[in-house]
């Protein structure tokens, strides 16, 4: 009898352990009903993506895509604060300083994942509840459906850390209405709640506390088509009245954004903002003055070229830019100032837009031969 009890204790201990390791996994991949569910599970790091998570998610999406019993894929984050706040910038910074291969592997893995989502044959539903920035935008925006909530905070803040809005930013940003994508990319402006829908980043808007019910209903759908999934999302969307009366935050500035950010060069954009002189224009000028001049120039060209490229061409271009940034100065300095020392006063090199030559920018866009990104 004692032995049986001991055995039971051992089994219970095992169960407890397997449960712990499970919830300690950085990404949870499970199948419920006809749905494959990806749960980003690094709540303390705001579900930031690292390479090991990317390496688990990518093959799973590919497997589900081929599986006749999987009808849709859902991606979400844990912890209630963030869907995914971006890529694991610190790890990349450390790797870059010592010339570690991670600076290639991370971007290759991440961009391949972005492409897998963008080309996924199964309906892909991202529940972007909470902070959704950088890499978090990359694992959501290229899918069929993006459900925002009143807690969603969207931004592409890369120019502040000497990078550029990657993960396919060169594809989706210039395709937003007017010049709003250029504005978001260059200034890192944050959009909240319903505004994420209004600008076209999200496809639906649902109350945060209704997401578990929505997920349950999605899982319960019997061999659903994309239309059926859309119908279900629409029904939730139509019932949500939160912030319906609130005006779109950029509404009053739309015309200004479209005219000021349509200039062909960064110098010209700055000149237009100075000439405009309105409080809005001066505020944008102040923001741009804090950004890496190199990043601003790379970003403007990235978006202008990306506007007429396929997602695959954009990701190839962005991989070239990522490697140029890894070799430069500003990325490491930006991360130091914003994330490590948090003194918020980066010393950019070059320090002024005029000092970033066209030749330098051209070089960053040059093909890498055998080292180019293969999708």
């Amino acid at each position: 009898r004692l032995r049986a009890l001991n055995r039971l204790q051992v089994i219970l201990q095992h169960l407890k352990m397997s449960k712990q390791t499970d919830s300690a996994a950085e990404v949870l991949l499970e199948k419920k009903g006809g749905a494959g569910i990806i749960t980003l599970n690094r709540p303390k790091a705001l579900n930031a993506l690292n390479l090991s998570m990317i390496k688990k998610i990518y093959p799973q999406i590919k497997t589900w895509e081929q599986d006749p019993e999987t009808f849709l894929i859902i991606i979400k984050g844990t912890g209630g604060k963030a869907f995914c706040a971006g890529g694991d910038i610190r790890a990349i910074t450390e790797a870059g300083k010592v010339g570690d291969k991670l600076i290639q592997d991370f971007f290759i893995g991440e961009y391949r994942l972005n492409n897998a989502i963008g080309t996924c044959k199964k309906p892909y539903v991202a529940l972007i509840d909470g902070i959704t920035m950088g890499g978090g935008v990359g694992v959501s925006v290229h899918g069929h459906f993006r459900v925002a909530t009143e807690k969603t905070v969207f931004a592409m803040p890369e120019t502040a850390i000497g990078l550029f809005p990657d993960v396919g930013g060169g594809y989706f940003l210039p395709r937003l209405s007017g010049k709003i994508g250029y504005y978001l990319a260059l200034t890192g402006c944050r959009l909240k709640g319903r505004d994420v829908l209004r600008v076209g980043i999200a496809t639906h808007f649902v109350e945060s506390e209704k997401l578990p019910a929505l997920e349950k209903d999605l899982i319960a759908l019997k061999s659903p088509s994309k239309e059926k999934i859309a119908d279900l999302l629409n029904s939730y969307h139509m019932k949500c009245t939160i912030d319906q009366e609130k005006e779109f935050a950029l509404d009053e500035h739309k015309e200004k954004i479209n005219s000021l950010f349509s200039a062909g060069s960064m110098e010209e954009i700055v000149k237009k903002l100075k000439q405009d002189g309105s409080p809005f224009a001066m505020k944008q000028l102040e923001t741009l003055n804090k950004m890496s001049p190199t990043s601003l120039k790379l970003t403007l060209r990235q978006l202008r070229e990306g506007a007429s490229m396929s997602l695959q061409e954009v990701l190839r271009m962005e991989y070239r830019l990522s490697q140029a940034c890894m070799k430069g100065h500003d990325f490491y300095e930006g991360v130091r100032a914003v994330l490590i020392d948090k003194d918020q006063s980066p010393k950019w090199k070059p320090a002024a837009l005029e000092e970033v030559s066209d030749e330098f920018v051209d070089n960053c866009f040059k093909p890498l031969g055998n080292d180019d990104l293969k999708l």
Side-chain angles (χ1 to χ4, degrees), residues 311-369:
L311 177 60
Q312 291 69 38
E313 289 168 330
V314 165
L315 291 167
R316 252 177 239 120
M317 163 179 75
E318 291 180 356
Y319 181 70
R320 292 166 188 168
L321 294 179
S322 77
Q323 296 311 294
C325 289
M326 292 303 109
K327 288 192 190 86
H329 162 274
D330 279 7
F331 171 65
Y332 303 99
E333 175 57 13
V335 171
R336 180 206 65 72
V338 175
L339 299 175
I340 297 170
D341 299 342
K342 296 189 166 78
D343 58 27
Q344 311 301 329
S345 52
K347 306 280 177 280
W348 305 121
K349 281 183 195 168
L353 286 168
E354 295 70 33
E355 293 165 24
V356 183
S357 71
D358 291 346
E359 191 189 358
F360 173 82
V361 173
D362 288 343
N363 273 330
C364 295
F365 282 83
K366 279 195 175 140
L368 301 173

Side-chain angles (χ1 to χ4, degrees), residues 32 191 197 229:
K32 286 185 185 171
L191 293 176
L197 170 82
I229 293 165

Side-chain angles (χ1 to χ4, degrees), residues 89-130:
I89 293 291
R90 277 174 183 238
I92 301 162
T93 312
E94 293 312 309
K97 283 179 185 162
V98 295
D100 188 292
K101 221 162 104 321
L102 181 72
I103 58 170
Q104 284 103 35
D105 295 348
F106 180 85
F107 291 103
I108 291 170
E110 187 177 30
Y111 296 174
R112 278 185 182 158
L113 175 57
N114 301 148
N115 186 52
I117 293 164
T119 56
C120 189
K121 291 177 184 68
K122 298 284 166 83
Y124 184 95
V125 183
L127 306 176
I128 55 172
D129 190 31

Side-chain angles (χ1 to χ4, degrees), residues 170-289:
Y171 181 78
F172 79 87
L173 287 162
R175 284 167 173 78
L176 300 178
S177 81
K179 292 294 171 188
I180 269 182
Y182 290 77
Y183 166 70
L184 295 172
L186 296 167
T187 64
C189 166
R190 294 181 172 204
L191 293 176
K192 293 178 180 159
R194 219 176 252 275
D195 286 349
V196 181
L197 170 82
R198 290 186 175 124
V199 80
I201 302 288
T203 56
H204 296 80
F205 185 79
V206 173
E207 216 168 320
S208 180
E209 59 180 39
K210 295 276 196 300
L211 288 183
L214 170 62
E215 191 184 326
K216 225 169 124 185
D217 286 348
L218 283 167
I219 291 165
L221 286 173
K222 293 277 171 271
S223 56
S225 59
K226 208 161 144 188
E227 288 70 36
K228 260 193 196 164
I229 293 165
D231 288 345
L232 178 63
L233 292 170
N234 288 339
S235 73
Y236 270 82
H237 173 79
M238 298 309 283
K239 283 187 203 122
C240 182
T241 55
I242 290 183
D243 294 342
Q244 225 168 8
E245 308 308 312
K246 238 169 135 182
E247 251 196 52
F248 175 36
L250 297 177
D251 226 11
E252 52 175 322
H253 307 301
K254 238 184 189 157
E255 279 176 41
K256 275 201 192 311
I257 288 170
N258 291 342
S259 70
L260 298 168
F261 286 85
S262 62
S265 72
M266 271 319 298
E267 286 89 343
E268 218 178 309
I269 289 176
V270 166
K271 196 173 134 193
K272 278 186 152 191
L273 288 166
K274 281 180 182 163
Q275 280 169 349
D276 182 277
S278 67
F280 174 76
M282 294 337 279
K283 200 175 151 213
Q284 304 324 310
L285 197 57
E286 200 185 317
T287 301
L288 292 175
N289 280 333

